[in-house]
Amino acid sequence: MKLTSATSRVDSPDIVKMLLYRPGFLTRPLLDLTADAMRGPSYWTAGEREYLAMCTARLHQCPFCIDSHTELTRIAGHGEIDPDDPGSARPHLRAVREFLDLTSRAPDSVTTAGLDGLPEQAVREALNVGLVWNIVNRLANAFGFVLREGQLYSGTRALHRFGYRFPAFLLAEGPAPDHGDVVTNLRRSVLDAPATTDPALRAAAVAGDPLPGPWQSYATTVREASYRTTDDDMDRLTVAGYSEDQIFEVTVAATVGAALRSFDAGRNALERKTTG
């Protein structure tokens, strides 16, 4: 991290610090999903996927992510789409953006209306993009990520150049179990990876079930309105005796659980369309 900062002449971005903090708990499965979702083979161009990420950031009111993905839309899109003009997106992209918004805003009311003519695989690929950024945006809000001088230019171009991939040695932290697919790996990592919090606590945070004491209001805010989290929220947890590791684990669990709820709602809507 020091070498990266010295080379770029800026501090390591907050998101990089978070990703390298507990790679065995969250980062490895999240990055496996992210690299494929954002730069792997897809119906959607790289610029269009960045546009979907930017729209998710606006939904979560995350300044860090809005600025980053607006810039990445310009870099990866090469002018094919104007991040400031929704009408510049092709009709299928506008349709799937509305679908992803619905999975986040009203997961119990998701339908596939408006997706006619769009290949099912394309929708599934968009759901993977939505899953990634529903997680990252909540974490960025909860942990107060900010872009410091020079990071918007250098950070976005580094992400684009390396395709959201980090050197494997930076992520080496214990075994990396494979449960068959990247989404299940992510889910099981948060629930089963070695951690300081009780597995039952993390499972409740993932599911959105009641939590003890001050965890309840905090986890609810992270899940439902992460942009409202403040330093005071963290201070209350610290005063209550919780460590940074515990706060990190519960935040990740609540975040991943909320993102998976949206993802599962979209996937279930597709399955109903297929079987219906």
Side-chain angles (χ1 to χ4, degrees), residues 18 41 45 49 71 84 86-87 106 110 117 125 129 131 152 162 168 175 179 188 197 214 216 233 250 253 257:
M18 185 208 71
T45 69
R49 284 175 271 178
E71 184 71 4
D84 298 318
V110 177
E125 290 164 356
V129 173
L131 174 58
L152 180 62
F162 294 109
H179 300 282
R188 299 315 312 176
T197 50
Q216 180 62 52
D233 294 315
V250 173

Side-chain angles (χ1 to χ4, degrees), residues 11-25:
D11 292 335
S12 294
D14 289 341
I15 191 168
V16 173
K17 295 174 184 176
M18 185 208 71
L19 290 172
L20 299 182
Y21 174 53
R22 297 279 299 279
F25 183 72

Side-chain angles (χ1 to χ4, degrees), residues 145-165:
F145 289 2
V146 296
L147 283 166
R148 295 172 180 83
E149 184 178 358
Q151 288 181 349
L152 180 62
Y153 182 90
S154 62
T156 53
R157 281 153 182 79
L159 274 179
H160 180 59
R161 178 183 178 187
F162 294 109
Y164 287 86
R165 296 188 183 279

Side-chain angles (χ1 to χ4, degrees), residues 103-118:
T103 66
S104 293
R105 294 183 186 277
D108 294 329
S109 306
V110 177
T111 71
T112 57
L115 297 181
D116 293 341
L118 192 55

Side-chain angles (χ1 to χ4, degrees), residues 74-90:
R74 295 190 178 100
I75 296 168
H78 304 292
E80 68 177 339
I81 184 170
D82 181 352
D84 298 318
D85 178 14
S88 68
R90 57 175 167 148

